[in-house]
Amino acid sequence: MPELPEVEALKDFLTDHLVGREVVRVLPVAISVLKTYDPPVTAFEGRAVTAVRRYGKFLDLEADGLHFVTHLARAGWLQWKDRLPDGAPRPGKGPLALRVALETGEGFDLTEAGTQKRLAVYVVRDPREVPGVARLGPDPLAADFDEQRFATLLEGERRQIKGALRDQSLIAGVGNAYSDEILHAAGMSPFKLASSLSPQETHRLYEALRTTLMEAVERSRGLAAGRLKAEKKSGLRVHGRAGEPCPVCGDTIREVSFSDSSLQYCPTCQTGGKPLADRRMSRLLK
């Protein structure tokens, strides 16, 4: 799933490639991708893009008072085309969900792999009309997101810190992969209660949050859209690397599996050398 760093990089890429250019066609291929109908998606046609913004994991293309907002979900992606194919795309079983064409002949496709169709497109007059945008928490890379604000957010959070970091209404933009990376950098168990953090642990986690995300943004900056997935994967130190050695201590990276996801961690760096119990079979270890 694209998370804050990748969506930030897409925002920068699209700012360079879209702003000032006219959208001549918006072609939905999978009707399921459209989450709003008034104004219709075709209302975006004939307008020049004036700005590209990011809200958490949402991308917002603004054009003359309308906003084309998309969330790529778990298996979605944006594929830029220097030259779009001639003719309208045909609905079918392929990954293509929607195509946006520019007056220059360039454009992009929104695609989604797999069978769970969660890729979403909204055309609205205000981004806050999108429910997911309206309930977003603060952006962790915002200038006013200081350590005190972070500590205040965690006060009274009676849940594991992994879940708190992934809650978009608490902090915007962090998903499964970067929450693993942040917790590894902080040397903290994913199952530790958020409300139990000491001031020193809160400081360590805040620094890991900001540093991990900023470093990922810097690695992605300037890359073409098609290279962002590979860059994300190559930069991850524990997420998706179960069975490999930890790059910090050399211990074997372990995994805990859930019904629809998994997490990865280093026992030596994060849990005092103790492997975490399977979430489905035993109580959580702190």
Side-chain angles (χ1 to χ4, degrees), residues 141-236:
L141 294 188
D144 62 351
F145 190 83
D146 58 18
E147 187 174 332
Q148 181 56 54
R149 189 175 188 186
F150 179 61
T152 301
L153 289 173
L154 297 183
E155 288 178 0
E157 280 292 332
R158 301 292 300 175
R159 53 180 165 169
Q160 285 85 25
I161 191 63
K162 166 83 172 177
L165 289 174
R166 293 184 63 189
D167 184 349
Q168 300 303 294
S169 65
L170 190 72
I171 301 171
V174 179
N176 193 34
Y178 285 108
S179 58
D180 282 352
E181 296 299 299
I182 291 163
L183 289 167
H184 179 256
M188 192 171 295
S189 168
F191 295 151
K192 188 175 182 64
L193 289 181
S195 60
S196 72
L197 268 61
S198 68
Q200 294 77 14
E201 289 172 326
T202 300
H203 172 75
R204 197 165 74 239
L205 185 60
Y206 173 78
E207 291 295 323
L209 169 68
R210 296 269 293 189
T211 300
T212 299
L213 293 178
M214 287 191 291
E215 288 180 351
V217 168
E218 286 303 313
R219 288 196 305 270
S220 300
R221 196 178 301 279
L223 294 182
R227 295 177 56 195
L228 289 172
K229 283 186 179 181
E231 171 54 41
K232 176 181 180 179
K233 185 175 181 180
S234 68
L236 298 175

Side-chain angles (χ1 to χ4, degrees), residues 32-35 70-74 76-77 95 97-98 110-112 116-121:
S32 62
V33 75
L34 298 178
K35 305 304 179 185
T70 184
H71 190 286
L72 296 172
R74 176 174 291 183
W77 196 245
L98 183 141
L110 294 180
T111 63
E112 185 172 25
Q116 294 184 347
K117 302 304 180 183
R118 297 179 181 176
L119 177 68
V121 169

Side-chain angles (χ1 to χ4, degrees), residues 44 53 60-62 65-69 122-127:
F44 214 71
R53 300 182 179 89
D60 170 24
L61 315 182
E62 183 179 2
L66 281 186
H67 296 262
F68 177 102
V69 181
Y122 311 78
V123 177
V124 292
R125 296 175 180 87
D126 187 322

